Amino acid sequence: MGGDDRAARSSPLDGGAELSADDTGACYDAVVLAGGRARRLGGADKPMVSVGGMSLLDRALQACDGAGRTVVVGPHRATVRPVDHVRESPVHGGPLAALAAGVSRVRAPFVVVLAADLPFVRQETVAELLRQAAGSGAEGAVMLETQGRDNPLFAAYRTAAVRRGLALTLARHGVLTGLPIRVLTRALALRYVPDVGGVSVDCDTWEVVALARAILKTNAG
C-alpha cells in the first residue's frame, strides 16, 4: 500500500457513534491468531514463548479481556482464561484463512484481531482501536508500526465489513488459502492508529524476544 493511498484513506472521519471504554465489553469479540510455523524462531511454538512471566498468547488474551467472546485460532493450548479454540481449513492455510475461521465464531458487531506475538499489547490500545473503528465512515482501525507500516493483525474491525470482505475475496479468488491479509483490508475504509510507546513490536525473531524480555523485566523492577 502506497503512502498516498494510506493518507487518503486515513483522513479524519468526524462525527458518528464512538465507543467509550465502558461500552466495549458489550459490543466486541476477539480473534487471536495463534497458528503459523514460526520459521524465524526455528519452528518454536511462538504463542507459548514466555515473555515477562507470561506466554505471548496469554498477553494477547489479557489485552482483550473485555471481549464478550474470545476465539483462538490454532492448536489447543492451556490459556489464562477460557476461550473458544478453532483451526483454519486447511491447517497452516495462512492468516486470511485463519481470520475467516475465527470470525465464523464471532457474534458481536466489532471484532478485535490480534496476532499472538505482541509482547506489549495493552487493554488501553485495544480500547483505542475500538473507539477509532466505531467512528463514522470507518470499517476498522489498524495499528501503525513504528516504521509506519500498518499491521492488519493488530486491529479492530466492524464484523460485517470483515465478513463482506471475506465473501468478496472468496468469490474473486476461489480460495482464501495462502492469500495475504491485505487482499481483504485494502478494500476497507480504515483508520490508522499511531504507535505510542512501542506497543506494535512483534516477536518474529529470538533477538526481539530477548529485547522484549529485557524491557519487561526492567519495567517490572
Side-chain angles (χ1 to χ4, degrees):
M1 182 188 304
D4 293 341
D5 290 340
R6 178 182 300 157
R9 291 170 54 207
S10 60
S11 58
L13 300 168
D14 297 326
E18 292 192 348
L19 299 175
S20 73
D22 294 333
D23 293 334
T24 56
C27 66
Y28 89 93
D29 290 341
V31 171
V32 179
L33 303 187
R37 301 180 189 274
R39 291 186 178 91
R40 297 176 69 186
L41 292 181
D45 188 5
K46 180 163 64 169
M48 297 307 290
V49 169
S50 180
V51 177
M54 185 182 298
S55 73
L56 287 168
L57 175 56
D58 280 344
R59 285 192 170 276
L61 296 180
Q62 186 179 67
C64 58
D65 187 57
R69 165 180 285 196
T70 301
V71 183
V72 174
V73 186
H76 195 287
R77 304 176 177 95
T79 54
V80 70
R81 61 180 176 83
V83 300
D84 290 345
H85 287 92
V86 67
R87 294 305 305 266
E88 70 274 27
S89 181
V91 172
H92 300 307
L96 200 57
L99 177 61
V103 170
S104 71
R105 303 288 185 91
V106 167
R107 295 180 294 195
F110 291 87
V111 56
V112 168
V113 177
L114 297 175
D117 64 354
L118 302 167
F120 304 121
V121 60
R122 302 194 300 262
Q123 291 182 11
E124 295 84 353
T125 312
V126 168
E128 178 61 15
L129 288 167
L130 284 162
R131 190 186 73 81
Q132 294 288 341
S136 176
E139 294 179 313
V142 177
M143 177 60 60
L144 283 179
E145 298 176 348
T146 53
Q147 302 89 343
R149 180 178 173 83
D150 60 296
N151 184 351
L153 302 182
F154 192 168
Y157 302 99
R158 293 182 185 267
T159 304
V162 173
R163 288 192 170 127
R164 183 179 66 250
L166 287 168
L168 290 172
T169 301
L170 186 58
R172 183 174 297 121
H173 296 275
V175 296
L176 299 177
T177 305
L179 294 177
I181 195 75
R182 286 178 176 80
V183 171
L184 168 70
T185 58
R186 69 189 180 196
L188 301 180
L190 300 175
R191 290 182 170 187
Y192 295 94
V193 179
D195 183 354
V196 177
V199 297
S200 68
V201 171
D202 53 16
C203 287
D204 277 343
T205 67
W206 287 116
E207 289 78 11
V208 178
V209 170
L211 176 62
R213 286 170 171 166
I215 291 172
L216 289 169
K217 182 177 181 179
T218 299
N219 291 345

